[in-house]
């Protein structure tokens, strides 16, 4: 039976080829209204309902007719429906006025989506975003527990309720911490974050927060401590000061002390200092076993160690399979020279340079220039490569020896559009610097491979021993 309906439901963008949805005649442009009698609130309702082996879909066709589709399938089979909005709902913006918010420290005139502050618990599961819990209703909490969605990433900042209200500029921020108890009791795995602000939530307050968070082990499986990022656009904002080398050493010492306690209590290190603390303190980053499987990479915890280890393992594999040995001994290769360049931020620079020199030493005739890009746009206190702009890159490299190719990390650009934060495009950088730009993925293996083959597409001629032809065991 067909009839018209005004509710538009969730519009379907695409149907995968060969999918169940295609076989059932579901089309792009149709809208999903309900599954098994449940109106679809968002993607989690959808994912939960389609796990059944018997599903009844109610759809509104692009012609305006409401139809029903009854489908019997295996529980694990996906329907092959892609929605126009991946969340199947509007994104929820943040209503806090955090004293450390980086978005408030950006200049005017940048692209609009850079100013959107999300605080949507659903994006925590889908994209790994960190949420403050202040935007989470009891209904949201009930659904998380019902669907057992995990892990959820929580921005704690402090476990002192009054201080949290002040830091988030939200009088309900302290009360929101009680939601952690419900998640803990339901066994919903959590990861935590503390953005540390000097003179605010550090020192004794940090000590208190770590001790309180340890009470939630092992349901909270990790917590990262990251220093607040301070751009030069802070006029009118809460007065925050940068951490010093001595401050960083104190933070690291406190964290290492609690890591020993946590290892004894739960067998994990639990509390982690981001890589920036070790750079500031001029101390080496910990070994791999200290990172508990790299649970907090997106917060810059263990990224340097993982990069170093992956690069080392890649080099060892290439020697094992005689790739580098063959090139070092090859007479024609010895007579060739080539130069590539790499650009990165202050944080990763010494480590990128270390890897590049190791590759350089193994490759006769190769020069790998590594350039540290100073962040003039946001200010020199911003040291990560992901916040480097195209204009800073061009200004600081225009008189440098770049060779056959310039390598940049993928977090420096919006890859799907090949644009930097300031909307400068990769092609504009190539035109200005007169050099091909290669975007390199974040792994150590990709980095080594990129250095070895950076000049291949730019026309340099050398004996082509392709890495992809090596049969790794």
């Amino acid at each position: 039976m067909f009839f018209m309906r005004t509710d538009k439901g969730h519009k379907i963008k695409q149907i995968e080829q060969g999918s169940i949805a295609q076989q059932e005649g579901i089309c792009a442009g149709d809208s999903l209204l309900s599954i098994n009698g449940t109106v679809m609130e968002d993607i989690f309702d959808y994912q939960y309902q389609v796990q059944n082996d018997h599903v009844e879909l109610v759809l509104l066709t692009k012609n305006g007719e409401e139809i029903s589709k009854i489908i019997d399938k295996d529980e694990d089979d996906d329907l092959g429906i892609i929605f126009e909005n991946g969340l199947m709902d509007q994104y929820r913006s943040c209503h806090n006025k955090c004293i450390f918010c980086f978005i408030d420290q950006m200049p005017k005139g940048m692209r609009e989506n850079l100013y959107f502050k999300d605080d949507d618990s659903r994006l925590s599961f889908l994209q790994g975003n960190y949420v403050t819990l202040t935007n989470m209703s009891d209904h949201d909490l009930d659904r998380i527990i019902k669907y057992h969605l995990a892990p959820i990433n929580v921005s704690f900042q402090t476990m002192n309720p009054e201080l949290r209200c002040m830091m988030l500029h939200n009088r309900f921020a302290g009360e929101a911490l009680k939601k952690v108890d419900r998640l803990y009791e339901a066994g919903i795995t959590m990861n935590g974050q503390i953005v540390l602000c000097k003179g605010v939530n550090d020192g004794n307050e940090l000590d208190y927060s770590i001790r309180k968070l340890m009470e939630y082990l092992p349901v909270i499986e990790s917590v990262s401590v990251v220093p607040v990022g301070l751009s030069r656009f802070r006029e009118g904002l809460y007065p925050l000061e940068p951490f010093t080398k001595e401050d960083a050493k104190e933070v690291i010492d406190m964290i290492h002390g609690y890591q020993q306690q946590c290892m004894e209590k739960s067998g994990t290190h639990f509390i982690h200092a981001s890589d920036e603390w070790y750079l500031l303190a001029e101390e080496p980053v910990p070994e791999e076993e200290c990172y508990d499987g790299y649970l907090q990479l997106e917060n810059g915890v263990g990224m340097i160690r993982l990069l170093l280890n992956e690069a080392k393992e890649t080099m060892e594999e290439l020697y094992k399979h005689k790739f580098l040995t063959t090139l070092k001994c090859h007479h024609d290769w010895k007579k060739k020279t080539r130069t590539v360049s790499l650009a990165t931020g202050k944080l990763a620079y010494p480590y990128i340079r270390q890897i590049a020199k190791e590759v350089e030493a193994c490759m006769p005739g190769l020069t790998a220039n590594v350039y540290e890009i100073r962040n003039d746009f946001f200010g020199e206190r911003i040291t990560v490569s992901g916040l480097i702009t195209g204009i800073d890159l061009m200004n600081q490299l225009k008189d440098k020896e770049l060779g056959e190719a310039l390598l940049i990390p993928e977090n420096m650009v919006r890859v799907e559009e090949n644009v930097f934060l300031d909307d400068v495009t990769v092609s504009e950088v190539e035109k200005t610097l007169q050099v091909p730009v290669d975007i390199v993925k974040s792994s150590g293996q990709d980095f080594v491979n990129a250095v070895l083959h950076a000049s291949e597409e730019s026309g340099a001629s050398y004996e082509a021993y392709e890495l992809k032809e090596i049969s790794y065991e």
Side-chain angles (χ1 to χ4, degrees):
M1 179 178 180
F2 301 94
F3 56 96
M4 299 298 293
R5 182 184 173 102
T6 57
D7 182 3
K8 295 183 180 180
H10 301 283
K11 194 170 183 179
I12 297 171
K13 177 183 179 181
Q14 181 182 342
I15 299 296
E16 295 180 350
Q17 290 293 319
S19 66
I20 294 174
Q22 185 184 50
Q23 296 168 15
E24 292 291 331
I26 301 171
C27 302
D30 294 346
S31 295
L32 176 66
L33 303 178
S34 68
I35 300 179
N36 296 336
T38 300
V39 175
M40 298 292 98
E41 181 177 334
D42 56 30
I43 188 65
F44 297 120
D45 287 322
Y46 174 78
Q47 291 177 340
Y48 183 79
Q49 292 296 333
V50 297
Q51 289 178 5
N52 295 305
D53 54 9
H54 178 87
V55 294
E56 181 175 354
L57 281 66
V58 177
L59 302 115
L60 189 69
T61 71
K62 54 187 174 183
N63 297 323
E65 297 176 314
E66 188 172 293
I67 63 173
S68 177
K69 297 281 186 180
I70 298 175
I71 301 172
D72 292 309
K73 63 179 187 63
D74 292 336
E75 286 186 4
D76 295 334
D77 286 346
D78 183 49
L79 296 181
I81 295 174
I82 300 173
F83 296 94
E84 280 196 346
N85 182 332
L87 186 60
M88 296 175 65
D89 194 15
Q90 295 299 312
Y91 295 106
R92 299 175 189 169
S93 62
C94 179
H95 301 298
N96 303 314
K97 298 290 183 181
C98 300
I99 63 173
F100 51 82
C101 181
F102 194 81
I103 293 176
D104 291 339
Q105 302 180 64
M106 294 201 302
K108 296 179 180 179
M110 303 183 76
R111 61 176 178 265
E112 185 177 351
N113 63 348
L114 293 176
Y115 299 100
F116 180 74
K117 302 178 185 180
D118 79 77
D119 195 15
D120 196 322
S121 59
R122 298 166 299 180
L123 295 180
S124 184
F125 304 111
L126 294 173
Q127 300 176 6
N129 297 15
Y130 278 75
V131 295
T132 66
L133 305 179
T134 59
N135 225 3
M136 183 186 291
S137 66
D138 289 337
H139 173 65
D140 296 329
L141 202 56
D142 291 339
R143 292 178 74 233
I144 290 170
I145 293 171
K146 173 186 175 181
Y147 296 154
H148 205 80
L149 298 171
I152 183 169
N153 298 327
V154 181
S155 284
F156 290 105
Q157 318 319 352
T158 176
M159 292 301 286
N160 177 336
E162 292 76 19
L163 180 58
R164 194 169 196 258
C165 290
M166 185 280 285
M167 292 187 69
L168 274 59
H169 233 153
N170 184 331
R171 62 193 178 96
F172 302 108
E175 188 73 13
L177 289 174
K178 294 180 180 179
K179 295 168 186 175
V180 178
D181 294 321
R182 282 202 62 193
L183 294 169
Y184 173 76
E185 291 164 3
I188 304 298
T189 301
M190 292 172 273
N191 291 294
Q193 174 196 61
I194 294 175
V195 176
L196 210 62
C197 301
K198 186 172 180 177
V200 181
N201 60 338
D202 58 348
N204 291 335
E205 289 291 348
L206 176 60
D207 185 84
Y208 172 78
S209 293
I210 294 174
R211 285 188 283 110
K212 291 297 291 183
L213 288 166
M214 285 172 60
E215 296 175 6
Y216 294 96
L217 273 165
V219 178
I220 296 182
E221 58 182 2
S222 71
V223 176
S224 62
V225 180
V226 301
V228 60
L230 301 176
S231 85
R232 64 185 179 91
F233 302 102
R234 288 196 57 83
E235 185 177 352
L237 299 179
Y238 187 93
L240 291 174
E241 298 179 7
F243 287 99
T244 65
K245 177 179 178 179
E246 291 69 28
D247 296 330
K249 287 181 176 292
E250 289 179 7
V251 170
I252 291 172
D253 288 344
M254 181 186 295
I255 288 174
H256 286 180
Y258 275 113
Q259 284 182 337
Q260 294 179 6
Q261 294 184 35
C262 292
M263 283 296 292
E264 295 172 3
K265 179 179 179 180
S266 66
T268 69
H269 294 82
F270 181 65
I271 185 78
H272 301 274
S274 67
D275 293 351
E276 292 168 271
W277 294 112
Y278 295 97
L279 176 74
L280 184 57
E282 298 179 5
E283 293 186 6
V285 294
E287 294 300 321
E288 184 172 51
E289 56 269 20
C290 296
Y291 291 107
D292 300 335
Y294 298 110
L295 296 171
Q296 297 257 359
L297 276 178
E298 293 303 315
N299 269 326
V301 177
M303 292 184 70
I304 296 298
R305 173 51 61 196
L306 182 61
L307 178 70
L308 291 171
N309 285 6
E310 287 178 339
K312 179 181 177 182
E313 290 169 4
T314 301
M315 298 284 286
E316 290 173 348
E317 281 293 308
L318 296 178
Y319 271 117
K320 176 180 177 182
H321 294 278
K322 310 302 182 184
F323 176 78
L324 292 178
T325 304
T326 300
L327 287 182
K328 288 184 74 173
C329 297
H330 198 276
H331 179 70
D332 291 338
W333 177 268
K334 290 181 179 181
K335 293 189 292 185
K336 301 183 190 312
T337 60
R338 62 193 182 105
T339 299
V340 298
S341 54
L342 306 96
T344 188
K346 179 180 179 180
L347 177 64
Y349 171 75
Y351 306 101
I352 296 295
R353 186 174 182 275
Q354 174 185 332
I355 298 171
K357 292 304 177 185
E358 290 174 357
V359 177
E360 193 179 65
C362 299
M363 304 294 290
L366 171 66
T367 299
N369 296 322
V370 183
Y371 297 108
E372 176 186 323
I373 304 301
R374 182 183 62 255
N375 201 318
D376 292 335
F377 186 88
F378 286 111
E380 293 187 38
R381 293 172 182 169
I382 303 301
T383 62
V384 295
S385 58
L387 290 175
I388 289 174
T389 59
I391 191 68
D392 278 347
L393 196 70
M394 292 186 294
N395 285 344
Q396 295 176 44
L397 294 182
K398 60 185 178 183
D399 298 321
K400 303 294 185 182
E401 172 58 45
L402 301 179
E404 289 89 8
L406 169 63
L407 309 183
I408 62 172
E410 63 177 348
N411 67 349
M412 203 179 283
V413 295
R414 189 174 182 177
V415 177
E416 60 269 22
E417 298 176 9
N418 271 7
V419 296
F420 294 82
L421 276 173
D422 55 354
D423 287 335
V424 171
T425 66
V426 170
S427 60
E428 287 177 308
V429 172
E430 291 179 321
K431 183 177 180 180
T432 299
L433 298 179
Q434 290 295 292
V435 65
V437 174
D438 292 342
I439 300 171
V440 183
K441 293 182 179 180
S442 59
S443 78
Q445 180 177 356
D446 288 316
F447 174 77
V448 172
N449 291 351
V451 173
L452 292 175
H453 291 282
S455 61
E456 185 173 352
E457 293 184 3
S458 63
S461 175
Y462 64 94
E463 193 72 21
Y465 293 91
E466 296 285 356
L467 296 184
K468 61 187 178 184
E469 294 179 357
I470 297 173
S471 175
Y472 286 3
E473 295 177 357

